[in-house]
Amino acid sequence: MRIVIASASGQLARATAEYVLEKVSPDDLILVSRNVGALADFADRGVTVRYGDYDRPESLPAAFAGGERLLLISLHELGHRVTQHENAVNAAKAAGVRHIVYTSYIMVDPACPSTVVPDHLRTHELLDDSGLDVTYLRNGLYAETPVTQILPPAIARGMLVDNTDHARGAFVHRDDCAAVAAAVLTSPGHEGETYDVTGPELLSFADITALAAKVTGRPVAYQSVDDASFEAGLREAGVPDDVRGMIVSFGVALRAGWGEPLTDTVERLTGRPPRPIVDLMERHRALLTGAGAP
């Protein structure tokens, strides 16, 4: 069973590849990227590394050739990524891939107001209509986002401001998502399944700031404001329109409970419990305190 990981130079893909290599031979793994040089370390270990670009669909069938299972990691460019995903699905069919594992999102539901959801829904439709076996990994809210992106400037200011109003989410380590993906790719019986991949606890951003203050020894307060005020603050800070809308809609979705599923998927599929967000804070203590990268 040869496994293909696309977008293989990204963080989630690289971590998944490492876990896959704990279970299969390098001969059974194909890594595809438009930046093959970034995967030289895997090539040196005997892994097949191939060029493939979602925006050059003609490059993909040969890149996926010989693979039976494909990890399709959701791309980041809102709107355009549906076309990119469609290119990948069509190429997988042309290459003889039988099973696609897609990294979806915990909030994917037509009723969810998050602006990232429609692209996932359309990709689900493409996959459901593909005739291939599909597994959906509905990854939860990445713990890395608050820890490495939101908290450092908030701690520097002494205040985290958002529009989530103490709503909670089950923040999950990206590495735990990678371990789940590898488990699905390297074992049978996951065809047709949907797995919600979450962390071990439900936390609000008020909870997260309190934990950060404890880990860093730096006081940081929390304030939730209404959507219009939050959007105005983001605009004043120069956040682009599409990103601003995505951030505001995330708060709306979290308040409506879309971040709250709490599952045992990580432990059930990997054999170890998901790690709490405070572990990530400890690892990134220097970044959080402004002393630099860990």
Side-chain angles (χ1 to χ4, degrees), residues 233-257:
L234 293 172
R235 185 190 299 112
E236 185 176 341
V239 178
D241 290 350
D242 56 340
V243 177
R244 195 166 66 242
M246 179 179 65
I247 294 171
V248 173
S249 73
F250 169 77
V252 176
L254 207 64
R255 296 199 311 265

Side-chain angles (χ1 to χ4, degrees), residues 107-166:
M107 294 186 180
V108 172
D109 187 284
C112 181
S114 172
T115 61
V116 305
V117 166
D119 285 354
H120 285 292
L121 287 171
R122 178 60 185 137
T123 301
H124 280 227
E125 292 174 0
L126 292 169
L127 288 165
D128 290 343
D129 293 340
S130 70
L132 303 177
D133 290 325
V134 180
T135 304
Y136 293 107
L137 303 180
R138 300 197 337 155
N139 288 342
L141 315 171
Y142 283 153
E144 284 80 0
T145 300
V147 172
T148 67
Q149 299 177 33
I150 296 173
L151 282 172
I155 292 171
R157 292 191 304 266
M159 172 76 73
L160 189 154
V161 178
D162 70 13
N163 64 331
T164 62
D165 192 25
H166 299 271

Side-chain angles (χ1 to χ4, degrees), residues 70-126:
L70 166 68
L71 178 62
L72 176 59
I73 295 175
S74 174
L75 299 176
H76 301 293
E77 192 174 347
L78 292 184
H80 179 54
R81 63 180 174 174
V82 175
T83 298
Q84 295 172 313
H85 295 165
E86 184 173 18
N87 290 341
V89 172
N90 290 338
K93 291 170 65 176
V97 170
R98 295 187 299 176
H99 182 186
I100 293 181
V101 179
Y102 175 64
T103 60
S104 187
Y105 184 44
I106 198 76
M107 294 186 180
V108 172
D109 187 284
C112 181
S114 172
T115 61
V116 305
V117 166
D119 285 354
H120 285 292
L121 287 171
R122 178 60 185 137
T123 301
H124 280 227
E125 292 174 0
L126 292 169

